[in-house]
Amino acid sequence: MTASADLAIRMARAAFNRALAEANLKAIEPLLARDVMLVTGSDSAVLAGKRAQLAAWKREFAASDRLVYTRTPDRITVSPVEPIALEEGRWTGAAAADGRILTSGSYCAKWRDVAGSWLIEAEIFVTLA
């Protein structure tokens, strides 16, 4: 199960990255657990719940100086005792207009297998540049 879980999470992350690049809220929604938590990288703002996160992405997608965020997993550790996994990696925020990377850092995400689908339960971002 570990290899297939690793691949499934990497595929879900790639789908999330595509959804962010395409400003596609409908593609993000099924990847988030209902009570998902997100802690932002710079000001540690907490977005609690799927509705709050989708509202934040909707605002981000409408911004004239919008950034396109990409998460790149370095490691995925699948629990041998629970249907959960930890993703660790690097993130970037690039200007939508020209692709120039304006900010970046590290992140970790907790995933849970719910009825055969891996969903994001929590993400924490740290801005390093």
Side-chain angles (χ1 to χ4, degrees), residues 50-97:
K50 185 187 288 193
R51 286 182 53 191
Q53 192 168 143
L54 292 172
W57 285 121
K58 184 175 182 179
R59 284 189 306 274
E60 179 72 26
F61 295 159
S64 60
D65 58 349
R66 165 170 124 77
L67 296 182
V68 175
Y69 293 98
T70 302
R71 284 95 154 148
T72 304
D74 291 328
R75 178 176 41 197
I76 297 178
T77 306
V78 179
S79 172
V81 296
E82 294 290 336
I84 57 177
L86 179 69
E87 172 190 2
E88 299 169 87
R90 297 164 282 112
W91 65 269
T92 60

Side-chain angles (χ1 to χ4, degrees), residues 14-38:
F16 197 94
N17 284 337
R18 272 192 309 280
L20 292 178
E22 296 168 359
N24 185 346
L25 282 177
K26 289 184 188 237
I28 292 171
E29 186 173 4
L31 298 170
L32 301 175
R34 186 188 64 187
D35 296 324
V36 65
M37 299 291 290
L38 185 147

Side-chain angles (χ1 to χ4, degrees), residues 2-3 5 9-11 21 24 26 30-31 34 40 45 49 68 75 77 85 90 100 110 114 121 124 126:
T2 300
I9 291 167
R10 288 179 189 278
M11 290 175 56
N24 185 346
K26 289 184 188 237
L31 298 170
R34 186 188 64 187
T40 64
V68 175
R75 178 176 41 197
T77 306
R90 297 164 282 112
R100 195 168 31 103
K110 179 183 177 186
V114 178
E121 282 194 329
I124 298 175
V126 176

Side-chain angles (χ1 to χ4, degrees), residues 90-126:
R90 297 164 282 112
W91 65 269
T92 60
D98 62 11
R100 195 168 31 103
I101 294 177
L102 301 176
T103 187
S104 63
S106 296
Y107 75 95
C108 65
K110 179 183 177 186
W111 293 80
R112 180 174 297 276
D113 183 347
V114 178
S117 294
W118 284 94
L119 304 180
I120 299 170
E121 282 194 329
E123 294 179 293
I124 298 175
F125 296 88
V126 176

